[in-house]
Structure formats: C-alpha cells, structure tokens
Amino acid sequence: SRKSWIEENFCKRECVKFIPSSRDLHRCIPICQVCQSLIRCCCGRLMGEHSWQESLPPTSLCPGPGQDVEEDWSIELHTKASPTNAYGTVDFQDTATRVCRAKYARVAVDSKAELLLQLMLREWQMERPKLLLTIQGGSENFTLPPKVKQAFTKGLITAALSTGAWILTDGINTGVSRYVGEAVKTFGSHDLRKRNTVGITPWGVIENNMDLIGRDAFRPYQPLGNPLSKRACLNGFHSHFLLVDDGTLGKHGCQQGLRRKLEKHIQIQKIHPRLNQGVPVVCMVVEGGPSTVSMVLEYLSNVPPVPVLVFEGSGRAADLLAFLHKQTAADRIGDVFGVDRAEASHLYNLLLKCMDHRQSVSKTCFRVWHIGIRHIEYSHSTKSSPAEQLSMALVWNRADIAQKDILLYGQHWQVGSLEQAMLDALVMDRVSFVKLLIDNGMTMSRFLTVDRLEELYNTPHGQADRFLHHLVEDVKQTSLPIGYRLSLIDVGLVIEYLIGGAYRSTYTRKHFRAAYSHLQDKVGIDRRRNSSTSLSKQIRGLKQNSRSLQDLSGNNTLSPGLVDPLLQVSFNFNDLFVWAVLQQRQQMALFLWQHGEEALARATVACKLYRSMAFEARQSSIDDDIAERFKSYSLEFGQLAVDVLDCAFRQNEQMAMKLLTSEMEAWSHFTCLQMAVSSCHRPFVSHSCTQTLLTDLWTGPLNMRKNSFLKIILSLLLPPAILLLEFKSKAEMCHVPQSHEAMLFGLDSAKSVPGHQGTDYMMFYLAFLMLFSYVILVKMDDQPSVQEWLVILYILATAMEKTREVVMSEPRKLSHKLKIWFSEYWNMSDFIAILLFLAGLVMRWHADPYRTAGRIAYCLDIIFWFVRVTDLLAVNKHAGPYLTMITKMTSNMFFIVVMMAIVLLSFGVSRKAILSPNEEPSWVLARDVVFQPYWMIYGEVYANEINPCEDNDSCPPTSFLTPFLQAVYMFFQYIIMVNILIAFFNNIYFDMASKSNKLWRYNRYRYIMTYQAKPWLPPPLIILSHMTSCLYKSVYSTSFNTSLPELYLGHEDRKKLHEFEEKCVQAYFHEKSEGPQSNIFFSNVFLTRVEEMCMVMGEVSERVNFIQDSLSELDCQLGQLQDLSVMAVDTLTLLSASDSLQQEEARLAQCRPVQASRHILPHSWTLPHRNGADSDVPNMRLLMTKSCKSTPPSLVKGYTLFFIPEIICLFFWGFDNLYLSFNLHVVLTCVCVFTAMERNNLMRLAHDIPFTPVSILGEEVSIYSLEEVPCNADPESNTVSSWSSRGLSAMLQPLFSEEGSLDGGLRRGCRVLCTWAERDVLRPGHIYVVKAFRPEVVRAWQRYFHGSTALQLCLREIQQQRAAQKMMQVFNQVKPNDMQHSPRFLDVSLVLWHSNGQWLTIEKNMCGHFRKYNNNTGEEITPCCSLEEMLLAFSHWTYVYSSRELLVLDIQGVREELTDPTVIMADDHSRGEMLFGPDNLGHAAITGFLQKHSCNVCCHRLGLTGQSYKKNPIL
C-alpha cells in the first residue's frame, strides 16, 4: 500500500543529544529552569523541545572527564532516523478564489533521489518531466518592478505549460518562491497534475509544522505566519512539497544538497521512451544573495554544465551576474550585498569563475518571455547536434523553435535523421512538426515504407491500439496472442471489413501479398517481430555522406519504399491518412486530409470508417464515450465533404459532378458518391450537386426543357416517335457517366436513358402482375396456358438477371458475393418470391394434391410480387417518405409487440383454462388461447360470450372471473398498450416528416442507380440483351461487369480534375479563415501584440523620463557651478578693492536703488481704485515676496524690479456677516533682468536642446482663474478668493456638434476642445463650454460700464456662481447625513480670446440629461425625487441663511452638477452698482419665490418654514 511504502522508504531526523550552541559553559548542576529556557542546542531547539525517550536529559552542560569541550554537532552522530510521520494532503485555507491543495511528505536529508522520483511519479502521479526549471534567488521578500513581475510570472507558466516542465523552488511564501506561487495563481491550472510546481523546503523552518504531522493525513493549513517569527509559511499555490528534515529547527539551506541530487537524477532520465536524451535542466536566477552566486557556480561547473538564465533587472546577484556577463567589476559587490572587503573579494573570485562558463550563461530581461522559453531551450542545446535539438523541440512540442533556430537553410543533417524525426512526430501526434517537415521538403513517397507503416500501426496508443486489435480479431474470427504485431495485410482486412461492400484494399490484393511475402522471407519473420530496425534503415546505414535540408526536395533515383523490385508500391498521404483515422488521431487526420489528391474522397472514406468503427464499438459494448467520439469524428468529416462539395459546385457545376462519379484508383475504383451512400451520408447525397447529377443520369441526353410530356409518352408507345425528341450535346453530357454496355456497344441516346428504362420496366412489371393475377384467379388446367407461360418466362428471366448480378459482382469469393447481394432487402424478397414460384411450378406439373399445393404456392408468391410495387413508389417525392416511415415503424415496434403478446397470452391462457376445464390435449388449444383475445385488441369483445352462465347451460366453476379478467385485459391491452403503440408511431411520423426531403433524395439515388446498372431491355426481353452482350464478348474478347456507372477520364482530364479539387480546398479554407472563429483568433493575436507594444512603449517612456530627469539634474548642477563661479569672481573683486576707495564705490554700485515706474492700466480694466499712496514700499515688498515665493534662490539675486499696477478682483466672503467688496489693488509683478550667467544659461538651453515644432490645433486664449489666498485683513475668514496675477495660455478648438443648443436668454454658448494648456489650467483632450454675452445685452449695460462692458459682465457672472458655490459647500456641511446627495456648482474661469480680444467665461462640459429646477422669477418644478426636493430646499435655505439678503435661483444642471445660477439681491441696483449678473430681478424675484415655493420634506428637515417670510420688512 502507499502508506507502508512511504513509511518504509522515507525517514525523519530528530536530535538526540543536547550540544549547547554557546561556547560559554554553564555550570548549574542540575540545570535550572532558566537555563533550559535560554540555552539552545546546535540543532536550534531548547532542552525541553528534545525527545528524551531513549536517553535521559543531561544534568550538566559542562563536559565530563575525557570529553571534548568543543564537540561539533553533526547529523550523522547526533540525530536519529525513524519512519516519517508526516505525509498526505495539505489544504490551504486562505485561498478563497480557488481550492488549493498539495501533496506533501517529510523526508530525511539523506533520502535517495531515485526514491523521491518514484514518490512523485508513482504515488503522487505527476506527469514525467520534459524540462526541469529550478528557480534560485532571494529567500527574503523583495520587490520586482511591475512590468518585470508581470512578464516573469506569465512567461514562466507559459513556458512550463508549453513544454510540460517541472518547477522546483524553496516552496516558502517569501522571496522568489512567492512570485512563482503568484504566477501559478494567475496563469496556472486547477489540476494538480498539470501544475507540477514542487517546493523543496526545510522542515525546521516551516511555521506551524506540527500541524502537518499525520500519516496519509488531510491537514488544513493557514499560511499566515507570525510577523515576529523567523520561520516561513508554505506557499499555497505549489502542487507538491518535499519537506527536508535534517534534525534542525529554524535553519535554512539543508535542502540544497537534496535538491541538487534530485535534479541530477531527473537529468539522467529519458525525456521520452523513443529518445535517448535526458531531461534538460535550466537554472533561473531571480535576485538572490551571496549563496546564489555559489549555487550558480555549482551549476556551471557541472558536467555537462547546466544552462543558467540570469533575470536582469530583478536585483542584487542577478544584476551583478548580468553585468559581469558583459564586463567584470568588483566595486559594486560590497555595496550590493553589504559585506566587508574580504567577503566581497571572495564573491568577486566566484563571479569570475562563473564568467569562465560565459557560453552557458544567458543574460535576459523580461522581454524574452514574450517568445516563451525559446531562449532557455536554445541555450540548453547549443552544444547538441541538430538532430538532438530537433528531438528536444519535438518532445516539448515547440515547432516555433524548430522553425526559427534548428531547421535553417544550409543546415546539414545525417542520413535518416529527418525521416526519424518525421516518424517520431507521427507517433507523438505532433501535427505542427509534421507540417513543418513537409513544408521543408519531406515527401511521403520517400518516407513511407512497409517497415515504417507497420511500426506506426504497432505503436502503443492506449484505447486506439486495443480497439484496432479488437477489429483484427473480429475480422480473423480468432484471438490474437499477446504481443502480436499487426501487418499491413491485417490492416487491409480491417479496412475492407469497415468499409464493406465490394471494397478491396491495396494491402490485400494479390500482387501486394506476393511482394509482402517475399519481403518477409528475405528479412525474416522473427527478426521483424523482435526488432524495430527496418530494411530501409539498414540501407541508409551503409551510406556515409550527409545531405542538407534543401536536398530533400530533389529527385532521388532510389526510394526506400522500393527496395525490392517485386514490391512496387508507392505509399502516399492516403496511407498515412487511413493510419491516422484507424488510430483515432483526429487532428492529425484533419491535417493529412489537406495534403495530396482526392481530398473529397478521403473525407467520405474517413466518414465511412468512423461510422463503422462507432457501430463496432456499440456492438462490442465498449465504452459509450468511444462510440460517441467516433460518431462526432464521422460527422466532422461528413460536414467537411459537404462543404468542399458545395464550394466546388459554386465554382464549376460540371467539374463538381465529375468529382462525384470519377473512379478513384486508390480507393478500389469506388466513386465519392458510392462511398457517401455506403456510409449513409444523407446530407451529401441530398446536396444540390448530387441531385443535379442524378437528374442528368435519369433523363440521360434527353432535353426535358425542350420536350413536352406528350412527346415523351408518344415515344414510349411508338418508338419511331423518338426522332421527334431533342437531345443534349456531348459537351453538356461530358460529366455524366455511362454504363459499360453503353460504352461497349455505342448505344444511341434514346436507348441509354435510364428514365425510359424505368418506364419500360414499370410497364412490363405491371403487365406481369396483371397476367399473374389472372393465372391464379382462374381455374388451373393440366397444361399451362399462354398467360401462364408468359409469367413463367418473366420470372425465369428475372432469375437469370439476379444470378448474373451475383456472379458478375466485384468480390472474388462467392460467399462474399452472396453476402453483399443478400444485404439488400429487395434482393432477399426477390429470392424468396422466385424460389417459392419455382417450387409451385414443379408441383404444378404433378397431379392433385400436388397441383393444388402448387396453386397455393402461386397464391402466396404473388404477395411478394405485389409488395415489390412499393419499391417503385419509393422514388416518389410524396409517397417515398411514407414507405420509409412504415419500414421504421415495423422495425422499431418489436418490443411493444412482445409486451402486447405477453399480456395477450396471460389473459388467453387463464380464460381458456377457466372456461374449458375438461379439454383434451390438442393443437386446437393453442388456437383457442390466442384467437378471441387477439381480435379483442381491435374492438371485438364477443358480448354474447362474456357471461357463459347466461343460457343456463353447464356453467364451469369460477366462470364469474372471466368478465373481470376480460375487463382488466381490455383496459391494459386496448387502452394502454394500443395507445402507447399509436404514440410511438406518431413520434416516428413527426421525426421522419422533418427528414422527408432528405429521405426522398437519398432513396432517389438508389432507385436511379438500380436502373442505371440494369440491361436496357426489361424482362422477359432481357434475354436478348444478355445474348447480345455474350456475342460482343466472344467477338471482341472484352469482359465487363455490372458495377455502377463511372466516369472514365484520361490522364490530362484527371490532372485537371485534381487541380480543380485542390483549388476548391484552398478556397474552402480561405472562406473558413474569414469566418468568426478566425476573427476571434486574429483579434487575440492583435491584442497580444498590442500588449507587447504597450509594454515596449512603457519601457521607452520610462527611459525617456529618466533621461529627462538626468538632464534636468545635470542642468541644475551646471547652473549651481556657474552661480558659484560668479560669486567667486565677485568676492575676488571685493577683496582686491578692500585697500582702496574703490571698495566703497563698488558697494554703492551694487546697492543702487530700485527704480519703479507706473504703467497705464489697460482700458478694459478701468475701475475705481486706490491712489498711489496706498502702494507704499512695505506693501510692495510684501507683494513682491509673495509673488516671487516659488522663484529659485539662484534666480532671485540681481533682479531689477518694476511696479506694474494691474486690476485684481478680490472677492471677500464671510458667512457670519456676508459682504462683498470689489477693490483694486496694485500688485507688484517681477520682471526679471537676468545676470550674464543666467542669460548664457538660458541661451545654451535654447540652442542646444533640439526642439521639433508641433502644430497644435485651435486658437490661443488666456485663462484667468479665481484662487483661494490667505486673508490677513479679516481674521475670522481663513481665505478669500483672488484673481490670478497673470493669465495662463491654452489652445481651444471650437466644436460644432448636434447635441443641443447652449444658448440662453442673455448669453450664447459653444463647446470647445482643449488641445493644449499651460500648467494644467485646462485638461487637454477634454471638452469645455465657453459662454459670451449677447451683443444687445452688452450694449444695454454700456451705460453702467464705460470701459470693457463684456469683461465686467463676465466678472460679475463668475462672481455670482462663486457665491452660489460657497453657499452650496456650507449647505452640504449642515444638511442631515441621511440626505445622500451632495450637489455642487461648476468652477468658472475668465477667458480672453486673442484673435478678437473678446472676454468669455469657460466651464466644464456636462454630459447627460439637462434639467432646470427653478428660474429667476421664482417658478419651480414639481419635484419627483429626493435630489429635486433637496435643490428646491437649497433655494429656500439660502434665503434664510443670508438673513433674507440673498436668494439663489435659476438652479439647473445635470444630476448633481449645477451651473448658471442667479444670486438675487434685493438692493443690488439701489446701491448704484451691480455685484452680481444682469439677470438679478431683485425684489420681484424674491416675492415670486416666496409666493410660489411649496416647502417639501427637505425644507421641514432643515427647519425652514415658508409662512413667516411673507411679513418680511424687506419685502
């Protein structure tokens, strides 16, 4: 059992002797409890944590007499091995996204590697590795860059899954193992067998390792460790764990030795049973410390060296190895690892040794993972031969590597290496490699030999191999011995058995059997069964020269398949295609179907083979899944055949019909149509192309469109009237096949019309039935009458025709001929009818009673002949489906009839026994049992016999039971069983009605082909046709058979037909490639490439930013150096003048007063302002300091200051005492006059930095915004709103959309797109709305504002929106918390349009349904939601909060984003100035609001009452 095997072969280690880790000997005797809790053993455990079952704990830590004071702890001397007690399954608890479980086992550090591999393969059932990826790196947590992490995790799992690799890590939840676990979590599989991520972890460092103790246990594990603990948790996304136990606790590194032994043992295992190569091992280095460098050196020093993939960019050891791979340097070692100089020198030597194996080290970054593991695989096999490299890529199933790195032009190959690669690819079912080798010149005629083909058939392939042996046993009717090797003759028998009919395989024909027997005698039967070396391999072994890949496409005079002159068999894709079908390799079969000729034929052959295999699987009671799989494969190839036929029919109808009827020499001279009919492929037969061909076959050369129905009837009745008919030309009939008789005798067009033949046969048959009916209805004389002689002649002629059909059929054996002939139902019916008639005819010549028996035989025989008429109706479009329904009902009603018979017998026997207790033994009893109960099914209840005692006759005992039994019988039989039968028939009817059209078309083929193969004269005149054929045969010595008509083409015509078929296949795949599935595929490829390009662009962007930052830093440093140089020059100048009067002059020159000049204000900013006295020097200095606050110190010195008064609108806001002030301030603006150094610096930057001008769409504008600045004048208010001192530039492009008009009563609006903005004053790429006052509004307000009227109106519009915004902020703070909405007003800025000097306002564009909740006259909407109630209540709240001075109306916007409010102030105009916009209606608006406003729920919750304000003194 697994339990005993694991415990017998694996052990654990426990420390049995306490050796203190501290050299300071403790002398407490006995050892106190404090010492036991402080002093640890060299194994890492305290004294109490040791197991003292076999010895006593030490009483003193002092060494005894004769003992070594400094005894070193070792695993061999101080630990004891015992059977492992921890193995089973661990269930990780914190992985909520998926169920993560892993197998684990606690093993000793000295365990054998072969036992560990056996544990993983046999007990844990892991798949054999094809590649071993061992991950080395940092064990502590470190951070990978996001892009490096994403590429590493995705690339690692993609590489592992594509090659079937094992991944070995430390298995802990820190360091590089954690990143591997995240990769498995994100991209890995749920199946443990497919994950194959093995963690080799020290037992002593695992957190909560005692929870894992148990034999074959299922242990939950919580991978959340104590942050203060030095132990580590297991990573929950590994599939298997080897917990290495060396007896220590809390010590890392003990697993490395066992891990290396396991890696070396796996490396010597075969990568595949067919190959002699070992499993490749690749080491990956991600980050890492000093121990990682030693590990890399160990890998590189191995023989052969293990390839090391260093992941550049991950940090520390990996970066150093990557750097040293390019250049050697020891300066950074101490800084990177934080070690002293001696250890850094040691690491330097180790790194140099690693670089001695430079050819085995691969420096890579995360971009390498976008091509999978190609770099790893190629670096591993650089020293291998091309054949070995190709074999390795074949095992990994990486055709992309083989194409790009191995199968190169000019590569030389050993003789036979590519043939062996093709054989391995076929055996391993590597479709991509087979395609690659074929594309590079491999030909089937060179590759396929008898030996190789038999080797393919005898390669074990699981269920497919067993099923094929089962078919051979069915064919041979014997059991095959164990180890039996299939021959091609056995395969041929299986093919004939599956296809059936008269099909003969190439492998079973006489010439092949003779050549095959000769080859067996030459090579030896025993050698062929015990050795896989073929004769062709021996011949190739005699050759010494090698040939290159491009030579494969050249001509070769000696083919390996034609070694012996007797075996003149040329194998091709057909043989390989049949092998793929019989071996159930569907993808390989689909690929091989595309190559070679006769693609349509191969599709129908595969459909037939799979259909027959599905039938055999059901008959043999094999797994139902196999039968269903065969059925699905058959349908897939059947649909493929229909699609190709449809594509061909759309391109060229005549060529498509030639494909149906041209004989296929490679397929036993069958036609595609015959093969489709034999496989019951109804969609193929009912296709328009097939039906058009059948119509042409039925009508022959007769042109039905130009001949009326009366002409045709007249020609049937009067043969000379045939001359009146019109016929088709030979060009129109080139695609129609002809029978052998028509070709041999050159029959004219009228005689070769199957439609005429069918009509003639039908007329003669009806006449025969009339004569036969007359014969049996009248008195039979001693001698046959004329009518009877005609009937006898007709039936004898029919018997001769049936005999000829059997004798002239294609199979060689008579038993096979009869078997095929009797497989047809009507042939069986005709045989019984003829046999019964001949028996009656023999008895008819004798006297009575034999003559009477003969007459009775006649009477029964005519039934079969009348039933035969239904076959004539099968071709009818309306009657045919009904006949099919009757046939299906009759064949499927068997079990229901059996159940009805059981009920009938149960009632009939009991009834007869009760009513007739005194009957004597007689056969009449059997009739009486079923006679009356049978007729009761149809409603005859025999009412006068229900009560037998009614006539007072002798009444049998218990006769009263019969009425009760009859009632029960009638209920079950008449009501239940009969209705079940009717329902069953009804189900069949509706099922068949849906297929009636296809059934009719399918039966139409059989009917037409039947008359196509018949002689041109009906019975009894058919004898004349046979006599003519025999005469022609004797004269011309020509033989012919009765096979179905085929289209015989010459070599050139056949070549053209194959070219046409190949074009149709290509067109089909082209149409398929443009379908939705291909679009999805190309979309996925496009998305992958876009992701790759995004990663590359991101990397480029990071590098550009880094370069820019570096240049900026360098520029700053250069500027500082220049500042220092200027200061040094100034200092030297001052020092030189210290002894003279020039020192004072220099000081005065440097401290000359700053001059100020006043500039005239712009005309548009003219407002009442303070006088010049207000602009005193301290205020100027204060303003100068504020304005130059962000200026670097290096640029402050040496400025010449100019005072430029500008208009600044300061908006002071206080909510306790609300007031507005609109003042002018003279603001100090610094105009910098740079020093020479700074001027040179700017000039250098302007000339040296390359600049490519970019054209930006739009028009230039300046944006002025309101900014919040600290308020010193009003201590109660924290900030005030102040206009910016200068405008920021932006580029705006007007948009003309159809979203809706933005115009209002006072202003017009337009949407604009921001294409560029300075300092993010606007967001480029976003849409904004600019608004300008209408000209008539500006003209109306010019009497109030004599300067820039538009500017003043815009300033006041912005000012009132800021006021409403401030009040909304306070409203959102004081409203109840359960009022969830938080509306806000948009920010508005001032815009100066440079092109026309126009002033506008700008705000963010709102998307959505725009609503207006009230207007500036006080009218409001009826609220329908909580948001609308809140906004209406906000207007009410502003009136209350401002002490009845302000009222915010005209609230409008999209959801919670609002804009364009109106702040109503009753005395705005009475003060002689306008603080807010021109839409302020003052007292009238407040009155209208108080009258029209209806307080809602929000008003009441805010404590607002509307009634008290009607008496307001202000109003």
Side-chain angles (χ1 to χ4, degrees), residues 327-393:
Q327 55 186 356
T328 304
D331 300 335
R332 295 185 58 201
I333 296 178
D335 297 335
V336 171
F337 295 122
V339 296
D340 55 12
R341 187 174 184 83
E343 189 172 356
S345 178
H346 175 66
L347 289 175
Y348 175 71
N349 295 328
L350 293 179
L351 291 170
L352 289 181
K353 292 180 180 180
C354 293
M355 291 306 105
D356 292 339
H357 305 274
R358 181 182 298 270
Q359 67 279 2
S360 299
V361 181
S362 296
K363 176 185 70 67
T364 181
C365 61
F366 61 89
R367 289 194 306 268
V368 76
W369 293 105
H370 291 287
I371 56 173
I373 200 167
R374 173 185 165 206
H375 194 83
I376 298 177
E377 295 155 340
Y378 187 69
S379 64
H380 179 273
S381 56
T382 50
K383 292 187 178 181
S384 304
S385 64
E388 293 176 348
Q389 296 178 21
L390 185 60
S391 300
M392 195 76 65

Side-chain angles (χ1 to χ4, degrees), residues 538-569:
Q538 296 178 9
I539 294 177
R540 292 197 306 270
L542 297 176
K543 299 181 180 180
Q544 300 296 330
N545 298 327
S546 63
R547 65 177 186 272
S548 60
L549 179 65
Q550 58 268 27
D551 293 337
L552 291 176
S553 59
N555 296 325
N556 191 6
T557 57
L558 179 61
S559 176
L562 304 175
V563 175
D564 194 275
L566 296 176
L567 193 62
Q568 297 294 328
V569 179

Side-chain angles (χ1 to χ4, degrees), residues 1256 1260-1265 1267 1284 1286-1292 1314-1324 1328 1394:
I1256 302 177
E1260 184 179 1
V1261 298
S1262 295
I1263 308 294
Y1264 299 87
S1265 304
E1267 300 174 349
S1284 57
R1286 59 179 295 267
L1288 298 178
S1289 299
M1291 300 294 291
L1292 300 180
C1314 177
T1315 58
W1316 175 83
E1318 181 183 4
R1319 297 185 186 178
D1320 295 333
V1321 64
L1322 299 178
R1323 299 182 65 180
Y1328 294 86
H1394 290 182

Side-chain angles (χ1 to χ4, degrees), residues 15 17-21 39-46 50 73:
C15 181
K17 185 174 182 179
F18 188 87
I19 298 179
S21 58
I39 301 177
R40 291 186 177 272
C41 176
C42 290
C43 68
R45 295 181 176 87
L46 298 172
H50 282 68
W73 187 90

Side-chain angles (χ1 to χ4, degrees), residues 394 488 527 1115 1182 1262:
L394 183 62
L488 289 184
R527 183 179 177 183
D1115 184 68
L1182 177 62
S1262 295

Side-chain angles (χ1 to χ4, degrees), residues 117-172:
L117 184 60
Q118 188 176 359
L119 169 68
M120 291 188 283
L121 294 179
R122 194 185 74 176
E123 304 299 327
W124 290 347
Q125 296 182 355
M126 297 176 64
E127 296 179 352
R128 288 188 172 273
K130 300 180 181 64
L131 175 67
L132 186 63
L133 294 176
T134 174
I135 313 298
Q136 298 287 351
S139 58
E140 300 296 332
N141 284 325
F142 59 90
T143 302
L144 284 177
K147 294 183 179 180
V148 177
K149 174 185 173 183
Q150 179 185 2
F152 167 72
T153 54
K154 184 177 180 180
L156 176 66
I157 299 302
T158 302
L161 294 178
S162 63
T163 59
W166 284 10
I167 303 175
L168 296 187
T169 70
D170 289 337
I172 57 178

Side-chain angles (χ1 to χ4, degrees), residues 1440-1451:
V1440 176
Y1441 186 76
S1442 62
S1443 300
R1444 311 174 190 174
E1445 294 184 2
L1446 299 178
L1447 175 63
V1448 178
L1449 292 178
D1450 207 8
I1451 299 177

Side-chain angles (χ1 to χ4, degrees), residues 998-1016:
K998 291 184 179 179
L999 290 173
W1000 169 72
R1001 293 187 175 189
Y1002 184 78
N1003 292 329
R1004 183 169 178 255
Y1005 166 82
R1006 185 187 59 82
Y1007 186 83
I1008 293 176
M1009 290 298 104
T1010 299
Y1011 287 100
Q1012 185 76 21
K1014 286 182 178 295
W1016 50 279

